[in-house]
Structures are given as C-alpha cells and as structure tokens.
Amino acid sequence: MTEPSTSDLVFLRAAITEAHAAELAGEVPVGAVIVSPTGDILASGNNRVLRDHDPTAHAEIVALRNAGLALSNYRLTGCTLYVTLEPCAMCAGAILHARIARLVYAAPDPKAGACGSVLSVMNHPQLNHKVEVTSGLLAEDCSALLQNFFRARRQRPAALAHPNPQGERPGSDLDDNEEGCEESR
C-alpha cells in the first residue's frame, strides 16, 4: 500500500461526484474515475445497473469501458482507477485484465469486497499482473453516502424502494447491513 497524495484526494472527490450522480438517478451511489499516467481524467463512471438493465454496469466497469474507448485500447497501462467502494470480484478481475497500474478506493465492502475484505482477487499470488492498492482515503465520507442511501431507501414505501421492471419484490436485495452495498449494485 502506498501513501495517498493531494492529487489522490482531488481524483477521489471526482469519483464521489460520480457517486452522487448515480444516487440522483436512483442507483447505489458508487462512482469511479480513471486517470492517465500524465494526470488527466480519461474517463468516469457511476453505477448504471438499474438504468441499463445490466448487472455488469458497476461504476468501475463503466469507467473502464469509457477509458478503453477514449484510448482505443482495452489495456489501460499506467492508469489509476479511483473508486468510492472496494471493487467486487467482477470489477477486480476487469481491473487486472485492463492492466490498471494503481487502484485507490475509499470504503471497504465487508460483504463483497475483493481487495481483501471478503476475497483477495486483487494481487492474488497466482496472477501475473499486480496492482498498487491504496485504500481508506475519504472512507468515512463514502461509507456515510452509502449508509444514508440505504437508510433512505428502506424508509420509502416498498413500491418506490427499488425500481423494478422485472416484477421482483421491491427491496428484496436489501438486508440489515447498510455497509455491504455491492450485492445491490
């Protein structure tokens, strides 16, 4: 793990802005930005699972897709990914395949985090690509954003708690742990 820098705060705040955009759209508030080796934001993303009817549309995946398009290359060598929540196994795998050099995430995900909280997909000893990981920066802010989102969602009438065109029981993805948000992304 490396020490965070001032620019880490700036870029993580940009990811938090993306998380707020997701929340305004009724999505779980997770945001991500990808920064080039020269320090420019290449791409951003926020959760779009509900809007896109796509279980893979996590903030990290959306940002990775956008960065790949911006560079015309799926390899994002030398880039840094900033995200407000610890990536899940799917996102960790995509981060590794994209050859992201560095990952900075804020809040741990005690239910589905794949960077050490639940699983250790990132930097598994049998994998050939290693990612420099920095965690915990602005964790309290990002955890509070997620907790407040789920608290408010639980207080809404069931029909409004979760948009649900497939006829699933509203709010069925919620449980008693407000911090474990990855499942309901």
Side-chain angles (χ1 to χ4, degrees), residues 20-115:
H20 284 295
E23 182 176 29
L24 287 173
E27 301 273 0
V28 174
V30 178
V33 297
I34 296 180
V35 176
S36 73
T38 59
D40 299 311
I41 293 179
L42 285 175
S44 60
N46 57 65
N47 275 356
R48 300 191 55 86
V49 173
L50 300 174
R51 289 175 281 175
D52 292 353
H53 310 287
D54 179 358
T56 69
H58 289 190
E60 302 94 322
I61 300 294
V62 173
L64 288 167
R65 287 176 181 156
N66 291 338
L69 290 171
L71 295 177
S72 298
N73 192 342
Y74 75 101
R75 295 284 196 211
L76 305 176
T77 308
C79 292
T80 300
L81 172 62
Y82 293 85
V83 63
T84 58
L85 182 66
E86 179 181 3
C88 69
M90 172 186 69
C91 293
I95 291 164
L96 290 166
H97 282 289
R99 299 300 192 257
I100 290 288
R102 184 167 178 246
L103 168 67
V104 179
Y105 70 88
D109 186 344
K111 293 190 70 179
C115 299

Side-chain angles (χ1 to χ4, degrees), residues 10-24 29-33 44-46 84 142 145:
V10 170
F11 294 129
L12 197 49
R13 285 190 180 107
I16 291 171
T17 298
E18 285 293 321
H20 284 295
E23 182 176 29
L24 287 173
V30 178
V33 297
S44 60
N46 57 65
T84 58
C142 293
L145 180 63

